[in-house]
Amino acid sequence: MSEEPVDTHEDRPTTSDEPNPARWRILAVTLVVGFMSLLDVTIVNVAIPSIQEGLDTSASTVQWVVSGYALTFGLTLVAGGRLGDAYGRRRLMLIGLAGFVASSAAVGLAPTAELVVVARLLQGASAGLLTPQSSGLIQQLFSGAERGRAFGYFGLTVSLASATGPLLGGLVIGLVGEDLGWRLVFLVNVPIGVVAAIAVARMVPGREDDSTPGRIDTLGAALLGLSVLCLLYPLVSLESGARWPLALLVGVPVFAWAFVRWEHREKRLGHDPLLDLDLLRRLPGYGNGLLVGTVYFTGFTGVFLVASVWLQDARDVSALHAGLLLTPFALGSAITSPLAGRLVSTVGRPLTVIALGVMMVGVLGAALVAPGRPTDDLWWALSPFLLLAGLGGGAVVSPNITLTLQEVPPRMGGAAGGALQTGQRIGSSLGAALLATTYQVVAGRSDGDAGIQVSLLVALVVLALALAAALLAWRTARQPR
């Protein structure tokens, strides 16, 4: 880390050959913000039983505490990234943090389940404004091998936020009890968010260009938002048992087609599109990376949801115990994410291929040893395989982000990063719906042990598809252009 003093006027432009001397400290601030917003995707998994009992509501209603956040998070990512490109990362981060802190307080203090769900929708939308600013800042502040290292830390943040959510949620509930614990899971964001906002205001650079930003492609944002809504809403509704929203899936190709046509029109007229779709044609690594990230998160994220449900419902363990059992995955991710960030500039796409293979071996091992194992022996039986899966998973996210965005112009870094993370959110929602439905169906016909085994095997099939996508990306990268 640089030992030079913090420049309190860091909104001044820095040239490409004179990197911002405080860039690593700026990165640290943005990663704290990113960790906080991504953590709220999974931290509530272990709190679902406590919320349901504390608010005396149905399982389908409380499921929207998880699903609603994922829905609005995915809806605002690309627009949030584009707004950051146009108006500056600092401004969007401060707006997003204000909304995130206020909505977190509203969730923690809400007297009814309906108000909790509404506040979670607002919280997810605020997180969607925050998260793409991290990748945009890395594109702006770092280059070369340093950019790979920075994305390594970003990948570590993504992996740890996903993997440690159940542990931290279980720890809070275990320390203060179920009635107050689930509320503190959200209220803890308030002091952290306030401190983060102060740090952002002091350290994160503003816009380098003092000119008035160009027009924002609002119709493009609306069309893309409708496309994502028609896809995500049915997926998150499946988790709560609703089937009628599946009819909205017919709107996905319609709005997606309209979005593509409109974006090409904007580009042809010389306007700034919401997302430059020519990136998919000019930069094959970008499109391939989008596919790898989306499919990987489909197979990865739902594992923690069904594992938490299985441990608490079928094995009758506490929220804290469930979180502790999943800790080896987080530990493995913490080891390999920064290391992968350092290696990706020299190893390239083969790194994600190898990492996915390692993760699949870990998931397969967990699927084979979990059923029928006595609860007291689960830690020793599962730890080696969860650690192996974490070692592989930690080396997937950061290299894929680096390789996907490495040729994207910094002026489009926020929108392109937002699109990448939208794919991840879609994958997460699809995976959660797929694995949760699989678990419920199999557990209802047999038992929880059979449910977790089949769910993990389904996740393994999806990860195999991610591996195939990574192999395709590797082959494409090796072909001369």
Side-chain angles (χ1 to χ4, degrees), residues 56-78:
D56 191 24
T57 188
S58 66
S60 60
T61 299
V62 79
Q63 186 60 49
W64 273 99
V65 177
V66 177
S67 304
Y69 185 89
L71 174 63
T72 52
F73 194 169
L75 280 174
T76 54
L77 278 166
V78 177

Side-chain angles (χ1 to χ4, degrees), residues 47 49-56 107-110 172-187:
S50 303
I51 297 173
Q52 183 177 352
E53 182 177 348
L55 295 176
D56 191 24
V107 176
L109 300 174
V172 171
I173 293 172
L175 287 175
V176 301
E178 294 189 356
D179 291 341
L180 179 61
W182 73 264
R183 294 185 181 276
L184 287 181
V185 163
F186 301 104
L187 291 174

Side-chain angles (χ1 to χ4, degrees), residues 174-465:
L175 287 175
V176 301
E178 294 189 356
D179 291 341
L180 179 61
W182 73 264
R183 294 185 181 276
L184 287 181
V185 163
F186 301 104
L187 291 174
V188 72
N189 289 329
V190 175
I192 296 174
V194 170
V195 172
I198 295 172
V200 167
R202 286 178 55 85
M203 298 186 65
V204 174
R207 289 185 71 235
E208 296 183 356
D209 187 358
D210 293 331
S211 63
T212 303
R215 60 187 287 275
I216 298 298
D217 181 12
T218 52
L219 181 57
L223 290 172
L224 179 61
L226 287 169
S227 303
V228 176
L229 179 66
C230 288
L231 178 59
L232 281 183
Y233 185 75
L235 293 178
V236 299
S237 297
L238 280 176
E239 298 172 47
S240 57
R243 297 291 184 268
W244 69 263
L246 291 173
L248 292 175
L249 290 173
V250 299
V252 176
V254 175
F255 290 118
W257 175 83
F259 171 72
V260 170
R261 292 292 297 243
W262 176 259
E263 294 302 282
H264 284 312
R265 176 185 181 276
E266 289 288 274
K267 190 74 180 294
R268 189 172 62 254
L269 295 177
H271 301 154
D272 287 331
L274 178 74
L275 180 64
D276 187 355
L277 297 177
D278 285 344
L279 293 175
L280 299 173
R281 177 179 54 82
R282 297 197 314 266
L283 307 176
Y286 180 67
N288 292 334
L290 280 173
L291 178 62
V292 173
T294 301
V295 180
Y296 169 73
F297 271 79
T298 302
F300 156 68
T301 311
V303 169
F304 295 102
L305 174 62
V306 296
S308 297
V309 173
W310 168 62
L311 289 168
Q312 293 183 78
D313 288 356
R315 292 307 185 94
D316 197 28
V317 305
S318 67
L320 176 58
H321 190 184
L324 288 171
L325 283 169
L326 299 175
T327 302
F329 187 98
L331 179 61
S333 296
I335 293 172
T336 54
S337 288
L339 180 62
R342 293 175 181 271
L343 293 176
V344 65
S345 59
T346 55
V347 178
R349 182 58 70 180
L351 188 58
T352 56
V353 173
I354 296 169
L356 279 164
V358 172
M359 185 178 184
M360 290 172 63
V361 173
V363 172
L364 176 61
L368 295 177
V369 305
R373 186 74 56 172
T375 301
D376 293 341
D377 293 341
L378 280 177
W379 170 265
W380 305 109
L382 289 176
S383 289
F385 297 107
L386 290 177
L387 177 64
L388 188 63
L391 290 170
V396 172
V397 177
S398 58
N400 188 61
I401 295 173
T402 304
L403 295 167
T404 303
L405 298 178
Q406 65 180 352
E407 296 180 344
V408 173
R411 65 179 180 82
M412 289 295 296
L420 175 61
Q421 292 169 62
T422 299
Q424 295 174 358
R425 292 307 104 213
I426 291 173
S428 296
S429 297
L430 177 59
L434 175 64
L435 296 191
T437 302
T438 300
Y439 177 82
Q440 291 166 4
V441 170
V442 177
R445 294 178 178 176
S446 181
D447 58 23
D449 281 9
I452 190 64
Q453 183 175 54
V454 174
S455 297
L456 290 177
L457 292 176
V458 170
L460 191 66
V461 171
V462 178
L463 290 173
L465 295 176

